[in-house]
């Protein structure tokens, strides 16, 4: 059995793991990373990247579909488009493959040794990796656990056949005629809206009183409006109960307690994700838990000396950029640098239509801390949004009433995901309303809505 030693061992080459390994390598730390699949983890291979590719393809198809028969207000007319989903999936896979190669190249450039296989802990300093060529033992001074998360499977709707996960949905060879989506969170709505644009008859079943319940109702209203426009039926307050005997329908208990059947060729279950904490020898080491997640401190240290944990395995928010920030910080700590991170400025983006962006506190959360000022600017008053046929939505800024310190920023609208960087920077820099209002924003852009929202909070909006 081969044995190697290193200063840092990273288990998992998802966004958190590979960033941690690359940064450690750049800092001269002798680093090994272990990954059983392709580099990039869930995000790159079966999550963020491929889903955004499918969403973009769906948007383009929907756009040209509305131009058929001269229905476009832009004066563009063409014949009805035809979709080849197999070709779309191949294009998506090509992007994933390019990024896989890119990550592998970056690891190599940083001097990181990659071991392909499944790692199992022997003790707090040693893991055994099952590779294609046999077993390999790796001894490390420091270990980073970055094993990520996996889709939650419902016991009464196990994955297989017509019941699919988000991973399966991104590899379909044909658009289902009827799609039932169990779970009205961001994953369910992102994919549900995409398939509706591609021609599927979509029904969303959500147990809570409304979809996207993690966001406030004012923010999600334009999305709910768009769901209706796309012909998507939303069954709120309803519970999925199982599969019909023939396997061609989802059994549902409606909000009023009645039984119903939702006819479906495919049933997409998107009720959340769970940390991958099994199968790699957690019983051999003594790590404290926070519920089902690994408990960490503000520097991602676990309860065992020399073991860090980052990313989805450590809890919410399960976001790739959170994992990346944690990975970079841990690498620098291992290299002897003084580092910490601020969790207040982690943007969250929902790639529905229209898109949602939040960073910091919502108005309700901020109000619980004291008196606040809120400024909201609608895209219906924004010239650039008008020229893009994207007038639904707004930018909203939340600040303290006494000193105008910005506590949170939210937006809903076409393409607002690209405003996430500006929102995050404003919070990270400790901006006040006057800072945002006094920053010259280019015209005509949707970003002007950010400045106008700050002006509105200050009581002197210029364009509303």
């Amino acid at each position: 059995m081969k044995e190697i030693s290193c200063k840092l061992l990273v288990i998992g080459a998802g966004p958190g793991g590979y960033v941690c390994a690359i940064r450690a390598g750049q800092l001269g730390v002798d680093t090994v990373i272990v990954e059983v699949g392709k580099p990039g983890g869930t995000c790159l291979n079966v999550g963020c990247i491929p889903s955004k590719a499918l969403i973009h393809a769906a948007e383009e198809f929907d756009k040209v579909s509305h131009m058929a028969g001269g229905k476009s207000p832009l004066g563009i007319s063409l014949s009805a488009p035809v979709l080849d989903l197999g070709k779309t999936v191949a294009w998506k896979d090509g992007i994933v493959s390019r990024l896989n190669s890119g990550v592998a190249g970056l690891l190599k450039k940083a001097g990181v040794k990659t071991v392909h296989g499944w790692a199992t802990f022997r003790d707090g300093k040693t893991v055994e990796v099952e590779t294609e060529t046999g077993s390999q033992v790796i001894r490390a001074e420091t270990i980073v656990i970055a094993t990520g998360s996996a889709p939650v499977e419902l016991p009464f709707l196990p994955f297989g056949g017509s019941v699919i996960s988000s991973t399966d949905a991104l590899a379909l060879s044909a658009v289902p005629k009827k799609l039932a989506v169990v779970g009205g969170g961001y994953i369910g709505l992102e994919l549900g809206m995409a398939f509706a644009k591609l021609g599927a008859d979509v029904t969303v079943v959500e147990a809570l009183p409304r979809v996207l319940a993690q966001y406030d109702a004012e923010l999600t209203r334009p999305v709910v409006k768009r769901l209706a426009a796309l012909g998507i039926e939303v069954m709120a307050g309803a519970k999925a109960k199982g599969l019909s005997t023939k396997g061609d329908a989802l059994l549902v208990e409606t909000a009023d307690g009645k039984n119903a059947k939702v006819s479906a060729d495919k049933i997409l279950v998107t009720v959340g994700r769970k940390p991958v904490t099994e199968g790699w020898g957690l019983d051999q080491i003594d790590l404290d838990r926070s519920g089902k997640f690994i408990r960490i401190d503000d520097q991602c240290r676990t309860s065992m000396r020399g073991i860090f944990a980052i990313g989805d395995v450590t809890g919410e928010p399960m976001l790739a950029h959170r994992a990346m920030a944690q990975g970079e910080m841990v690498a620098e700590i291992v290299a002897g640098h003084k580092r910490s991170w601020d969790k207040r400025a982690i943007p969250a983006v929902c790639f529905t239509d229209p898109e949602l962006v939040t960073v910091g506190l919502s108005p309700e959360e901020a109000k619980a801390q004291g008196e606040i000022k809120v400024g909201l600017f609608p895209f219906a008053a924004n010239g650039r949004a008008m020229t893009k046929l994207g007038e639904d939505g707004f930018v909203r800024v939340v600040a303290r009433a006494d000193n105008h310190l910005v506590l949170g920023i939210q937006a809903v609208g076409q393409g607002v995901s690209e405003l996430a960087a500006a929102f995050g920077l404003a919070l990270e820099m400790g901006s006040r309303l006057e800072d945002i209002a006094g920053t010259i924003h280019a015209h005509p852009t949707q970003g002007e809505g950010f400045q106008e929202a700050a002006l509105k909070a200050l009581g002197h909006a210029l364009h509303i």
Side-chain angles (χ1 to χ4, degrees):
M1 187 179 293
K2 298 178 182 178
E3 288 193 18
I4 58 174
S5 297
C6 60
K7 182 175 177 62
L8 175 64
L9 170 64
V10 180
I11 302 175
Y18 81 69
V19 165
C20 182
I22 289 170
R23 183 64 182 134
Q26 291 174 342
L27 293 169
V29 177
D30 179 23
T31 304
V32 174
I33 190 166
V34 177
E35 172 57 56
V36 68
K38 294 180 180 179
T42 293
C43 178
L44 196 160
N45 293 289
V46 292
C48 315
I49 301 301
S51 67
K52 301 313 162 287
L54 180 67
I55 288 168
H56 178 67
E59 288 174 347
E60 294 297 297
F61 185 75
D62 184 61
K63 192 182 299 181
V64 294
S65 294
H66 281 83
M67 291 176 182
K71 293 181 288 184
S72 171
L74 304 179
I76 302 171
S77 181
L78 42 77
S79 57
V82 177
L83 176 72
D84 181 344
L85 188 62
K87 196 169 183 178
T88 305
V89 170
W91 166 73
K92 176 263 295 181
D93 290 342
I95 292 172
V96 171
S97 179
R98 285 165 55 197
L99 291 171
N100 284 145
S101 299
V103 171
L106 290 169
L107 288 166
K108 185 176 181 180
K109 180 181 177 182
V112 177
K113 178 178 175 58
T114 300
V115 176
H116 297 283
W118 186 269
T120 306
F121 275 95
R122 281 186 171 183
D123 56 48
K125 298 290 183 184
T126 313
V127 302
E128 183 176 341
V129 182
E130 291 296 328
T131 70
E132 291 182 354
T133 57
S135 297
Q136 182 164 33
V137 173
I138 304 174
R139 302 186 191 279
E141 293 179 27
T142 303
I143 297 177
V144 176
I145 299 169
T147 48
S149 63
V152 170
E153 185 175 37
L154 294 173
F156 51 86
L157 282 173
F159 295 134
S162 61
V163 181
I164 60 175
S165 68
S166 56
T167 299
D168 303 319
L170 294 168
L172 291 174
S173 58
V175 177
K177 291 183 179 179
K178 295 185 177 182
L179 174 68
V181 180
V182 180
Y186 72 94
I187 297 175
L189 291 197
E190 284 182 1
L191 294 177
M193 294 179 96
F195 278 107
K197 290 177 181 179
L198 294 173
D201 182 2
V202 179
T203 301
V204 176
V205 178
E206 171 54 57
L208 294 174
R210 61 184 183 85
V211 295
L212 296 175
Q214 67 269 47
Y215 301 101
D216 65 84
E218 182 179 41
L219 196 63
T220 60
R221 196 168 292 121
V223 179
V224 173
K225 177 183 175 183
R226 182 64 172 142
L227 286 168
L230 287 170
I232 296 175
E233 181 183 358
V234 176
M235 300 177 69
K239 297 177 182 177
K241 307 297 287 186
L243 200 60
S244 65
T245 305
K246 293 182 179 179
D248 60 351
L250 175 68
L251 304 179
V252 178
E253 181 184 317
T254 62
D256 55 5
K258 296 179 181 179
N259 293 324
K261 278 187 178 182
V262 177
S263 180
D265 304 302
K266 296 291 182 183
I267 298 169
L268 171 60
V269 177
T270 59
V271 294
R273 297 185 64 83
K274 61 182 179 180
V276 178
T277 55
E278 297 180 2
W280 42 268
L282 187 62
D283 54 330
Q284 300 300 311
I285 54 178
D286 186 22
L287 296 182
D288 290 348
R289 301 286 192 96
S290 178
K292 56 188 176 180
F293 302 102
I294 296 175
R295 185 174 64 80
I296 56 172
D297 65 12
D298 287 342
Q299 292 184 313
C300 296
R301 290 185 170 91
T302 69
S303 57
M304 276 190 79
R305 182 177 296 179
I307 298 182
F308 293 80
I310 61 175
D312 289 4
V313 77
T314 66
E316 297 289 352
M318 290 188 180
L319 299 169
H321 43 284
R322 169 182 177 262
M324 290 175 172
Q326 289 176 320
E328 183 184 11
M329 177 188 69
V330 168
E332 295 189 0
I333 290 172
V334 172
H337 297 197
K338 288 185 178 181
R339 273 297 312 270
S340 61
W341 73 309
D342 191 338
K343 295 180 282 188
R344 291 175 297 182
I346 304 176
V349 180
C350 180
F351 290 89
T352 45
D353 178 11
E355 296 174 344
L356 297 168
V357 178
T358 65
V359 60
L361 304 180
S362 69
E364 290 74 19
E365 292 168 334
K367 200 176 296 180
Q369 298 183 5
E371 193 176 347
I372 62 171
K373 284 182 176 290
V374 178
L376 184 151
F377 185 80
F379 283 124
N382 178 269
R384 182 60 176 144
M386 292 179 185
T387 64
K388 293 173 64 180
L389 301 177
E391 297 181 36
D392 283 342
F394 56 83
V395 179
R396 187 176 65 196
V397 178
V398 183
R400 284 177 51 162
D402 56 357
N403 61 7
H404 299 174
L405 180 70
V406 176
L407 301 174
I409 310 162
Q410 301 85 35
V412 54
Q414 188 184 105
V416 294
S417 59
E418 294 303 324
L419 296 178
F423 295 171
L425 181 62
L427 228 66
E428 178 69 24
M429 298 296 289
S431 297
R432 300 180 190 273
L433 291 172
E434 290 82 358
D435 297 317
I436 299 168
T439 299
I440 298 173
H441 287 65
H443 174 79
T445 64
Q446 287 180 264
E448 289 177 273
F450 187 22
Q451 180 184 25
E452 289 280 357
L455 287 167
K456 175 70 172 176
L458 290 169
H460 50 88
L462 295 173
H463 290 92
I464 49 172

